[in-house]
Amino acid sequence: MKQKPFHLGGCLPPNALSYVTRTADQELYELVVQFNEFCYVLNARQMGKSSLQVQLMNRLQIEGIACAYIDIMSIGTEQVSPQTWYGSIISILVNKFALLQQYEQRTWRNNQQNLTPSQCFSDFVENVLLVEITQPVVIFFDEIDNILQLDFKEDIFSSLRACYEQRARNTNYQRLTFVLVGVATSADLMNTQTKSAGTTISYNIGRLIELHGFKFDEVQPLIDGLKEKADCPEVVLRKILEWTCGQPFLTQKLCKLIYEVEPFIEQETEAHRIEVLVKSCVINQWKKQDDPEHLLTIRNRLMKNRKRPPKQLLKIYQKILRHGTIAADDSPEQMELRLSGLIVKHENRLEVCNNIYKLVFDQEWLNEEFSTLHVPLVNRLLKPLQQFIQAPLVKGLAVFSLLFVGAGARPQLPISSDGVSAGEEIMIPNSEGELKGLPEKQKGVQATATGNLHQAISHFEALLKKDPTDSETRIYLNNARIGEARNYTIALSVSSNRRFRWDALRVLQGAAEAQDAINSSGGINGIPLKLAITHGGNHNKAERVAFSLARSHPEVLGVVLTGGDKPILQSAAIYASSQLVTISPTNSSVRIPNSKRSFFRLVPTDTEMIKALADYMLKSLRRKKVAIFSESQAYDKLEFEKIISSAGATIIRQFNFSSGHFNPRESVKQARQDGADIFFLSRLPKKESLEKALQIVEANQNQVPFLATDLYTSEALKINPSGKLGLITVSRCSLDQSFITKLLPSSQSQKAKDAEKIVFAYDALQVFIAALKQHQNPTRSKVRDTISNTSFNIIGVTGAIKFLRSGDRNFNTSPIRLMQVQTSKSSPTGYDFVPIQ
Amino acid sequence: MVRSECLDQLRRARLSAGYARQIDLAETLEMSMGTINKFFTGNRISINNFQEICFHLELNWQEICCDFSDGLDEPGGKKNVNPITPELAEPSIYVDRPPVEDNCLEALRQPNALLRIRGSRRTGKTALVYKLFQQLNSIEGYRVVYLNFNYAEMTDFGDLNRFFRWFCASIGQSLELPNLLDSQWDEDYLTPKLNCRNYIKTNFLSKNEALILCLDEVECIFPYPNVASEFLGFLRAWHEHANMDVDGILGKLRLIIVHSTESYVPLNVDESPFNIGIPIYLTDFTLQQVQELSKLYQLNLIESDIEQLMEMVGGHPDLISQAFVQLQRDRTKTLSEILETATTRTGIYGSHLRHLWRMLNKYPEFDIALRMLVDAEGSIRLNSEQLTDRLFNMGLIHFTQNDYIILRCKLYQSYFRMQLVAPNEYREVTGGGL
């Protein structure tokens, strides 16, 4: 088969005809062979780094030098411990140099537990590799940027440096040379600890090889490849380089296109033909023609940069684009731009790498990218809509009315950039279900979104004077006061659905209370707490919010996850795999595999509550003839049945109250006729069930004791007195009364269930605050490790908080309390829940 | 788990709920195919899934549940249970879409080939793979392995070692090779990625024989960012550096990656293999291909019939086939009769349309875009490229020129117009209680 002369994407095979030898090839060769220096090739993607190594290895092996190539990417960055990382490196070298026998004789592999992994590596290098291999050895480490993601990267770099330092002690080491290659800056390779002491790790013992684009006097192989396709292939290449400035990928791509697709290029037409080719096949509609991906890789490296905010990178790029060149200062932002490949440094000034980039990433592109940052999607959509309406050929008015009639007819869904707001958007619906607020709130949010925090603060303050109960605004105000200062961020995920508006407000109230308290007392080790609000409590958004928090919001260190089973189930695995701790303040039912130990709950599970009720029924009330009222979907009923049946109680009758034929009065009557002496009501998974449940309780007329897990609610106190007496239910915590009075001074009647949501949200934040306090530089994984440690415990307003291995709360110290309805003078309804002693 | 005597009842319930294939139910419930398959074969699954499936099929779960306490346990536990490896099903009918088939075959005959077949769901991706395998395996003698990620358990995705072991075990099982994971997998001293690389190299590849590996429904891995980035990075590294392998063994592995573009997942491009290799897009059927298809279904359609159908659904492979299946099944109905109710929820395309509508409703930002598209007389341009791409990936639009787009077919236009004017239950946001 005839070998195609041009090759695109991935690295060139060793025998590729189109390989272009650059000055860097010779430089690297000499440094490695003659001076056996450690070398670094650090540059952007698709600059021919891997191909360079292949060629050099080929050349060295011919000269009898032993070479090994280690692609760090193939070792991985997840679930990688020092032991497996070094183990993998050793294993690759063992396989490469066929050292299995000698290696297995080293006893440490089997029984010496007291050597650290890096010591094992040094031992292997010194006593196996350099003893068995008597030639010079060059080891290539490619894709070293993957090392930078490891917790123990500094250990790795010191191990490599140690090999250099050993040369003085053991001359064998003089035969060993490393070449490190990757998309990284020299600053990345510096040791953060030694850097402050004025020295740099490994970097100062090696040499950095500059890798530039192809120069005209280097591209003979490409000229040869195009011989059959042009009168003057030299001129063609010259024109190509004018467009690409020798950028290897683009240059190869154009050559390949000419070789495979283009008709013959005649003399004198070169400039025109190449221009047309570049514009039609690369620049025009570049996103659709970018295959294999190159331009998109650059774009994404800027826009999805994890180290520097994209906005800053774009601003610097815009400056360069406008002025042609700016002074290089090696700031982290500039280095990121250079690593993308878009910008190159030339005589201490920065410029755009080539003319193709200039036309692709032009001012228009910049405007578009700027507009996608921080601007809610709706604005982006409305812009074309306005143009659309003005266009004469469309039925503009019809669209307009359709759009707005539609919008008015039902609660408008929130439209947001990524569904996470620390003040840039309103997240809690008003009583009409719209994501709107009073004018002050709207203005405050807009001011926050545009970065005008002083204005935002005054708007938020004005609003809180009008409506001090708006907890969302309290949080945004606290956030605005933090400004740009360093902070720790916890996300609160609530539902945007109007039906759960009240619940969401309670959660935010608890959170705002916790934020107020910690920030006014000087923060967490001096660092203030920021709260971001998300719509992760909606089951149709939970997954997306989780992705967004996990990937695009590295500042978020933990999540308070409210909502029912569905949103939690959909997002828990995503949070777990990004090491984010999630705490559900109020969900008692969801069961998720918690192998990563990242999901925690603060309330007792349904099972625990049922056990408490069953226990009370059997031991204190001594009743054994039960009638059960349940919904068809209630699984707690079965657990209850199991517990009481094994204790000798009988189930007289069962009623499914979600069935259409169910009649509360008739059913209650029937149950009593059959001899039931106690009633049990299962969990109420749907809000709609509450009313029906209350009808059953009411129909009972206090004839027999009535057990219910889910009726610790103020609504239960409002039904007829004869009905509610006899109701026995569960309080999920023993509340600190003084705290409740402080939070809810005016509305005593609400206190039962409402207070629960507030205090559990408050305590969820207390857990995070306590965990953050334990670290100087808290990270997601540190927070997770701290909270998941079984010795972690704090005293919250809901009592002592400790977690079991399952992530459930340990209630040994503060047992579940049963409540019954009794008359009370302090309650406006005349009745209240009173703990059963 | 389900009592064995109820299995038939389940199947009937599934069919009467309108799910001809298990995979359709899996998609609606957003569960893995493995879970659904286990449910219908009487294997144990988690209680939450169990209840949700039953609820959806209007079954009383307590009646069909074998032992309650059993159902409560989380699945899994043992590591070396042999994974379910489905056979690559033969498509009942296949129409060639030249030059796609030949391009793919040509590419796969080269060392270190990597094909990416992408498109919205049910556009014939898997059928194409079957066709390719038939040629490569039966005629040219290549070893082929088909692996569907939908059959992995959710727990397989939770842990890298576990995932890579599942991956290796599944390939081994397809090749009918012994499972040597326990003796060869060195969890103490090697990273999961390297273990996997070694295992594949040692057990499945040799100098003389290529292995063509098809990974179908790769999107199932997307929701697990850590596993996804490592696994996709693994494929990428393999492909990019196979050229450096001196003895050429790595290049013996040739990959076909098939993924549906509907789900919206941000991926790190530096790590994903979705910007390397050769992309294959499945185009719509041409008039000629539709005619050919109608003959394969033994339908006596005249040209005007076919034109009428294509006027409604364009060349959409799935929609065309559905119509033909229907005509074949019920000979008393005419095409016109079928098309009359096509745009309604209960019509022939009801489940397809409802599926799209559910997807669209997850992302409120589609709302305005959709309204614009539905009412446009010609093509329009959205300011948000991201949104445009997502609509395209869902198979909803065609590009006319540059960034100008148009709804893919008349069917969509009519249906969405109806939906947008009359809000129905799907528009309701149903959140969870606190």
Side-chain angles (χ1 to χ4, degrees):
Chain A
M1 193 179 68
K2 195 183 156 209
Q3 198 191 355
K4 287 185 182 169
F6 299 103
H7 182 104
L8 213 48
C11 87
L12 294 182
N15 56 351
L17 298 175
S18 63
Y19 184 75
V20 174
T21 310
R22 292 173 272 186
T23 42
D25 288 77
Q26 187 60 22
E27 199 184 339
L28 186 58
Y29 171 78
E30 283 170 10
L31 282 170
V32 169
V33 174
Q34 295 175 3
F35 303 100
N36 60 18
E37 285 268 19
F38 282 26
C39 293
Y40 305 85
V41 183
L42 307 177
N43 214 314
R45 297 211 152 265
Q46 293 168 322
M47 281 295 287
K49 297 184 300 298
S50 295
S51 304
L52 173 74
Q53 293 171 80
V54 173
Q55 295 293 325
L56 181 61
M57 265 166 62
N58 224 15
R59 188 170 169 190
L60 295 177
Q61 276 163 345
I62 291 170
E63 296 181 12
I65 295 172
C67 293
Y69 172 83
I70 300 178
D71 169 15
I72 306 287
M73 186 157 71
S74 70
I75 293 172
T77 49
E78 291 289 334
Q79 278 179 247
V80 171
S81 63
Q83 176 144 320
T84 56
W85 196 88
Y86 285 108
S88 297
I89 298 284
I90 294 173
S91 140
I92 290 174
L93 295 174
V94 163
N95 289 335
K96 171 74 202 175
F97 297 121
L99 299 171
L100 192 62
Q101 211 187 340
Q102 296 87 339
Y103 165 60
E104 282 187 339
Q105 283 164 1
R106 299 303 299 175
T107 46
W108 50 260
R109 188 182 192 272
N110 301 318
N111 51 28
Q112 279 201 355
Q113 298 298 323
N114 45 2
L115 284 187
T116 66
S118 61
Q119 284 170 327
C120 293
F121 174 70
S122 312
D123 178 85
F124 168 77
V125 169
E126 184 165 336
N127 298 316
V128 180
L129 182 68
L130 292 177
V131 171
E132 299 299 327
I133 308 289
T134 50
Q135 312 134 265
V137 179
V138 180
I139 301 175
F140 293 82
F141 291 91
D142 200 359
E143 315 264 3
I144 53 162
D145 26 324
N146 285 281
I147 297 182
L148 303 175
Q149 296 174 36
L150 300 171
D151 295 340
F152 50 97
K153 61 174 181 184
E154 290 176 1
D155 182 59
I156 295 173
F157 288 128
S158 5
S159 297
L160 299 183
R161 183 180 49 181
C163 291
Y164 187 86
E165 287 165 350
Q166 294 292 343
R167 288 179 174 185
R169 186 182 62 80
N170 178 342
T171 50
N172 268 351
Y173 275 100
Q174 290 172 5
R175 285 190 284 114
L176 177 67
T177 304
F178 294 141
V179 178
L180 276 66
V181 183
V183 185
T185 66
S186 42
D188 290 335
L189 301 183
M190 289 182 197
N191 185 320
T192 43
Q193 281 148 23
T194 51
K195 193 158 55 177
S196 52
T199 55
T200 56
I201 172 232
S202 43
Y203 202 65
N204 55 356
I205 55 162
R207 292 280 292 271
L208 184 69
I209 309 280
E210 302 261 350
L211 194 58
H212 299 288
F214 302 156
K215 304 266 177 342
F216 182 71
D217 54 12
E218 297 167 343
V219 294
Q220 194 56 43
L222 304 180
I223 295 175
D224 293 343
L226 292 181
K227 255 187 225 152
E228 296 156 25
K229 298 292 292 187
D231 282 330
C232 307
E234 296 84 3
V235 183
V236 171
L237 250 300
R238 217 175 259 289
K239 293 297 158 199
I240 291 177
L241 293 188
E242 279 172 20
W243 280 102
T244 65
C245 269
Q247 202 289 332
F249 181 92
L250 289 174
T251 309
Q252 294 270 10
K253 175 167 181 164
L254 289 175
C255 288
K256 192 174 153 83
L257 281 169
I258 291 172
Y259 183 83
E260 288 175 6
V261 190
E262 285 286 295
F264 192 84
I265 301 178
E266 285 165 13
Q267 202 167 359
E268 302 297 324
T269 64
E270 293 93 353
H272 176 69
R273 288 285 300 278
I274 303 298
E275 181 180 346
V276 171
L277 176 70
V278 167
K279 287 190 173 155
S280 65
C281 292
V282 181
I283 295 173
N284 185 28
Q285 293 282 305
W286 61 272
K287 279 188 189 166
K288 297 195 174 58
Q289 309 209 33
D290 193 30
D291 185 36
E293 241 173 54
H294 172 74
L295 299 167
L296 262 180
T297 315
I298 295 176
R299 184 258 170 204
N300 290 339
R301 186 147 189 119
L302 300 185
M303 298 305 292
K304 294 179 184 166
N305 202 295
R306 291 186 203 170
K307 289 189 228 151
R308 296 286 143 191
K311 208 173 182 172
Q312 284 181 29
L313 299 178
L314 290 187
K315 277 185 180 162
I316 299 177
Y317 176 68
Q318 177 163 271
K319 237 193 224 167
I320 301 172
L321 197 62
R322 279 188 187 157
H323 302 286
T325 150
I326 63 167
D329 61 10
D330 290 356
S331 66
E333 286 81 13
Q334 286 199 356
M335 293 312 287
E336 279 304 312
L337 271 173
R338 285 171 56 190
L339 272 191
S340 74
L342 179 56
I343 294 300
V344 289
K345 185 169 157 184
H346 185 68
E347 287 169 357
N348 258 330
R349 299 194 69 81
L350 299 188
E351 53 193 42
V352 182
C353 174
N354 59 52
N355 288 326
I356 292 178
Y357 292 168
K358 271 184 210 162
L359 288 182
V360 168
F361 303 110
D362 57 358
Q363 186 61 43
E364 199 182 322
W365 171 81
L366 265 172
N367 294 344
E368 194 165 305
E369 296 292 3
F370 272 127
S371 76
T372 61
L373 294 167
H374 294 303
V375 180
L377 198 55
V378 65
N379 295 359
R380 269 181 277 150
L381 279 166
L382 282 175
K383 213 166 108 204
L385 190 64
Q386 282 153 3
Q387 295 163 355
F388 183 63
I389 291 162
Q390 284 155 7
L393 72 159
V394 288
K395 304 174 291 178
L397 268 178
V399 176
F400 193 78
S401 59
L402 174 65
L403 185 66
F404 288 98
V405 167
R410 59 192 168 77
Q412 185 65 58
L413 292 166
I415 296 180
S416 66
S417 39
D418 63 353
V420 179
S421 164
E424 300 85 2
E425 284 169 56
I426 294 178
M427 303 296 276
I428 302 297
N430 63 15
S431 48
E432 272 80 52
E434 299 160 310
L435 293 180
K436 278 188 194 157
L438 295 171
E440 291 86 352
K441 189 167 177 182
Q442 303 263 51
K443 282 185 201 156
V445 165
Q446 274 162 18
T448 312
T450 50
N452 202 335
L453 294 177
H454 280 294
Q455 236 176 52
I457 290 174
S458 65
H459 288 310
F460 288 144
E461 279 172 343
L463 176 99
L464 284 173
K465 266 186 202 134
K466 273 191 192 167
D467 179 7
T469 64
D470 184 342
S471 309
E472 184 182 20
T473 305
R474 275 173 69 191
I475 289 172
Y476 290 165
L477 174 61
N478 284 337
N479 288 347
R481 283 181 176 148
I482 296 168
E484 300 288 321
R486 184 175 172 215
N487 59 71
Y488 299 142
T489 306
I490 298 294
L492 306 164
S493 107
V494 297
S495 168
S496 65
N497 191 329
R498 183 167 64 138
R499 285 160 62 217
F500 302 111
R501 171 173 183 267
W502 207 244
D503 298 335
L505 282 172
R506 295 288 154 257
V507 170
L508 294 193
Q509 188 181 352
E513 210 63 47
Q515 191 188 21
D516 279 354
I518 187 77
N519 286 0
S520 62
S521 63
I524 304 160
N525 300 332
I527 310 288
L529 175 69
K530 204 174 199 172
L531 296 175
I533 303 175
T534 78
H535 286 160
N538 291 35
H539 80 74
N540 56 352
K541 290 190 205 138
E543 202 177 359
R544 192 161 54 125
V545 167
F547 272 126
S548 174
L549 288 178
R551 300 225 112 181
S552 319
H553 289 271
E555 75 278 11
V556 171
L557 297 170
V559 183
V560 178
L561 198 58
T562 71
D565 295 2
K566 260 203 155 169
I568 295 180
L569 283 170
Q570 283 169 353
S571 54
I574 301 168
Y575 288 123
S577 61
S578 55
Q579 308 181 323
L580 264 172
V581 166
T582 48
I583 300 182
S584 166
T586 44
N587 188 303
S588 60
S589 53
V590 70
R591 295 151 193 261
I592 56 170
N594 200 18
S595 57
K596 297 233 167 152
R597 311 255 298 129
S598 67
F599 176 79
F600 301 90
R601 84 172 95 222
L602 287 175
V603 290
T605 60
D606 291 336
T607 315
E608 285 169 293
M609 292 195 277
I610 284 162
K611 271 188 198 144
L613 280 176
D615 219 45
Y616 181 69
M617 170 188 117
L618 296 165
K619 293 189 183 142
S620 306
L621 299 173
R622 295 173 187 282
R623 308 243 173 169
K624 290 199 164 175
K625 293 179 183 166
V626 194
I628 293 179
F629 296 85
S630 70
E631 282 200 317
S632 49
Q633 291 292 307
Y635 65 82
D636 60 336
K637 181 193 79 166
L638 281 144
E639 299 194 17
F640 182 74
E641 279 174 32
K642 239 167 119 176
I643 297 170
I644 59 166
S645 322
S646 60
T650 40
I651 295 154
I652 302 291
R653 247 195 124 90
Q654 300 223 23
F655 301 94
N656 177 353
F657 68 83
S658 57
S659 116
H661 313 295
F662 178 81
N663 178 329
R665 280 175 183 282
E666 282 304 308
S667 309
V668 167
K669 204 168 132 194
Q670 231 168 30
R672 275 206 306 267
Q673 278 169 3
D674 292 351
D677 60 6
I678 190 157
F679 292 165
F680 172 79
L681 181 82
S682 76
R683 180 174 168 255
L684 308 171
K686 294 192 204 124
K687 271 212 150 175
E688 298 81 61
S689 325
L690 177 63
E691 200 174 323
K692 242 178 188 171
L694 291 173
Q695 285 171 7
I696 308 171
V697 177
E698 202 166 4
N700 176 36
Q701 299 285 323
N702 194 18
Q703 300 269 344
V704 297
F706 202 115
L707 307 174
T709 43
D710 253 6
L711 285 180
Y712 184 50
T713 149
S714 44
E715 279 91 342
L717 297 177
K718 290 179 195 149
I719 57 175
N720 279 328
S722 49
K724 63 197 163 205
L725 281 170
L727 178 63
I728 295 156
T729 181
V730 189
S731 157
R732 301 170 178 206
C733 59
S734 47
L735 292 178
D736 177 340
Q737 280 303 324
S738 61
F739 184 78
I740 298 305
T741 335
K742 188 187 141 222
L743 281 185
L744 294 163
S746 51
S747 47
Q748 282 293 318
S749 61
Q750 285 183 347
K751 76 179 172 195
K753 195 130 189 173
D754 284 348
E756 261 190 27
K757 291 199 176 95
I758 301 173
V759 293
F760 280 110
Y762 182 88
D763 267 2
L765 283 163
Q766 296 309 316
V767 171
F768 280 122
I769 289 169
L772 290 168
K773 259 190 191 151
Q774 296 191 12
H775 301 280
Q776 273 309 313
N777 287 304
T779 61
R780 289 175 175 184
S781 55
K782 283 182 192 168
V783 169
R784 186 195 57 192
D785 293 346
T786 303
I787 297 179
S788 64
N789 190 321
T790 38
S791 66
F792 176 84
N793 75 88
I794 65 166
I795 303 293
V797 292
T798 60
I801 300 175
K802 260 185 100 152
F803 295 107
L804 300 166
R805 285 202 69 80
S806 62
D808 290 337
R809 183 162 165 187
N810 185 338
F811 279 94
N812 282 343
T813 42
S814 52
I816 296 157
R817 295 209 299 184
L818 299 183
M819 311 292 281
Q820 65 184 353
V821 177
Q822 287 188 351
T823 51
S824 154
K825 282 187 186 120
S826 60
S827 161
T829 56
Y831 292 87
D832 207 343
F833 288 106
V834 177
I836 297 172
Q837 293 309 322
Chain B
M1 58 198 249
V2 174
R3 291 213 312 271
S4 52
E5 62 268 30
C6 297
L7 291 179
D8 204 47
Q9 182 195 347
L10 296 190
R11 206 178 54 84
R12 271 181 279 124
R14 190 189 80 218
L15 292 175
S16 71
Y19 296 98
R21 309 183 300 172
Q22 291 182 7
I23 192 164
D24 299 328
L25 181 62
E27 276 170 7
T28 303
L29 294 175
E30 298 177 7
M31 287 181 190
S32 86
M33 191 53 213
T35 304
I36 298 288
N37 190 272
K38 280 188 165 181
F39 176 82
F40 283 106
T41 49
N43 285 308
R44 177 187 296 192
I45 62 172
S46 81
I47 183 80
N48 284 315
N49 287 339
F50 195 95
Q51 287 177 333
E52 192 164 350
I53 298 172
C54 290
F55 183 68
H56 199 81
L57 298 180
E58 294 173 354
L59 293 163
N60 185 336
W61 70 273
Q62 291 136 16
E63 279 173 13
I64 57 168
C65 182
C66 198
D67 177 358
F68 181 71
S69 63
D70 263 15
L72 276 177
D73 293 334
E74 287 304 331
K78 277 192 187 161
K79 269 182 176 172
N80 247 344
V81 176
N82 274 334
I84 309 168
T85 45
E87 292 287 306
L88 177 56
E90 179 179 356
S92 45
I93 277 167
Y94 187 85
V95 174
D96 276 336
R97 282 188 255 184
V100 171
E101 292 84 0
D102 286 339
N103 288 350
C104 293
L105 289 172
E106 181 53 35
L108 287 170
R109 291 184 189 119
Q110 310 299 326
N112 193 27
L114 191 152
L115 289 189
R116 290 176 278 136
I117 304 179
R118 44 177 294 176
S120 49
R121 65 174 207 151
R122 294 172 75 170
T123 44
K125 300 187 294 291
T126 308
L128 171 63
V129 172
Y130 183 85
K131 183 83 184 168
L132 298 176
F133 272 19
Q134 215 179 17
Q135 170 70 24
L136 291 167
N137 179 243
S138 317
I139 300 175
E140 298 179 28
Y142 283 96
R143 289 184 305 156
V144 297
V145 168
Y146 171 81
L147 196 57
N148 189 323
F149 276 41
N150 216 333
Y151 280 81
E153 288 294 325
M154 190 175 151
T155 45
D156 288 330
F157 289 128
D159 176 274
L160 264 185
N161 262 312
R162 193 160 172 163
F163 175 77
F164 278 118
R165 285 176 73 115
W166 168 81
F167 182 66
C168 290
S170 302
I171 299 175
Q173 204 175 359
S174 270
L175 291 172
E176 298 180 349
L177 293 172
N179 183 333
L180 303 173
L181 284 168
D182 281 340
S183 59
Q184 293 189 5
W185 204 270
D186 184 357
E187 234 164 84
D188 289 339
Y189 285 100
L190 296 183
T191 61
K193 247 179 167 175
L194 199 69
N195 267 317
C196 180
R197 189 187 176 93
N198 290 346
Y199 193 83
I200 292 179
K201 222 176 139 176
T202 320
N203 298 292
F204 305 145
L205 301 180
S206 73
K207 269 188 189 175
N208 318 320
E209 220 184 344
L211 172 66
I212 298 175
L213 173 61
C214 171
L215 309 177
D216 201 354
E217 303 202 47
V218 172
E219 68 274 11
C220 295
I221 198 181
F222 294 169
Y224 309 90
N226 289 13
V227 171
S229 75
E230 286 286 278
F231 178 68
L232 298 175
F234 169 82
L235 296 180
R236 188 194 175 92
W238 188 295
H239 177 76
E240 287 204 329
H241 297 294
N243 285 341
M244 310 189 80
D245 195 32
V246 197
D247 41 18
I249 287 196
L250 292 186
K252 292 290 171 194
L253 181 68
R254 296 163 200 188
L255 284 167
I256 307 176
I257 300 178
V258 183
H259 71 112
S260 156
T261 48
E262 281 175 46
S263 37
Y264 155 58
V265 186
L267 283 173
N268 185 348
V269 287
D270 288 353
E271 290 157 6
S272 89
F274 297 124
N275 55 356
I276 52 171
I278 302 169
I280 303 289
Y281 298 93
L282 285 179
T283 47
D284 277 2
F285 285 147
T286 61
L287 179 65
Q288 199 193 349
Q289 287 162 355
V290 176
Q291 279 167 339
E292 208 176 308
L293 192 70
S294 76
K295 282 183 202 130
L296 290 171
Y297 275 100
Q298 296 163 337
L299 300 171
N300 290 321
L301 294 179
I302 50 171
E303 195 163 327
S304 69
D305 282 337
I306 290 180
E307 277 167 3
Q308 191 192 357
L309 176 61
M310 290 185 75
E311 151 112 28
M312 179 66 92
V313 302
H316 195 299
D318 182 36
L319 299 182
I320 300 256
S321 311
Q322 279 192 42
F324 287 173
V325 168
Q326 187 75 16
L327 285 173
Q328 196 188 32
R329 204 179 286 158
D330 185 356
R331 294 272 175 184
T332 60
K333 272 207 173 150
T334 67
L335 186 63
S336 306
E337 282 167 358
I338 290 180
L339 290 181
E340 220 161 80
T341 57
T343 56
T344 63
R345 283 166 50 85
T346 49
I348 166 176
Y349 299 130
S351 80
H352 174 87
L353 294 169
R354 286 199 301 273
H355 168 78
L356 286 177
W357 188 242
R358 266 195 302 271
M359 304 267 302
L360 287 167
N361 266 290
K362 279 192 195 167
Y363 306 110
E365 51 271 34
F366 282 132
D367 200 83
I368 296 175
L370 212 53
R371 285 171 193 275
M372 289 170 63
L373 278 165
V374 160
D375 259 57
E377 280 182 348
S379 52
I380 59 162
R381 183 174 181 275
L382 298 178
N383 254 17
S384 161
E385 270 184 53
Q386 189 196 359
L387 202 57
T388 311
D389 289 348
R390 263 154 65 188
L391 288 169
F392 180 74
N393 287 340
M394 288 172 72
L396 281 171
I397 54 169
H398 276 318
F399 283 96
T400 50
Q401 46 155 342
N402 290 348
D403 292 339
Y404 282 81
I405 55 170
I406 188 166
L407 274 179
R408 187 162 170 186
C409 56
K410 200 174 145 195
L411 175 74
Y412 291 168
Q413 184 152 20
S414 314
Y415 175 74
F416 290 135
R417 176 174 289 144
M418 231 149 51
Q419 292 299 311
L420 290 166
V421 175
N424 62 15
E425 75 261 35
Y426 291 114
R427 300 210 65 94
E428 179 89 5
V429 187
T430 45
L434 264 166

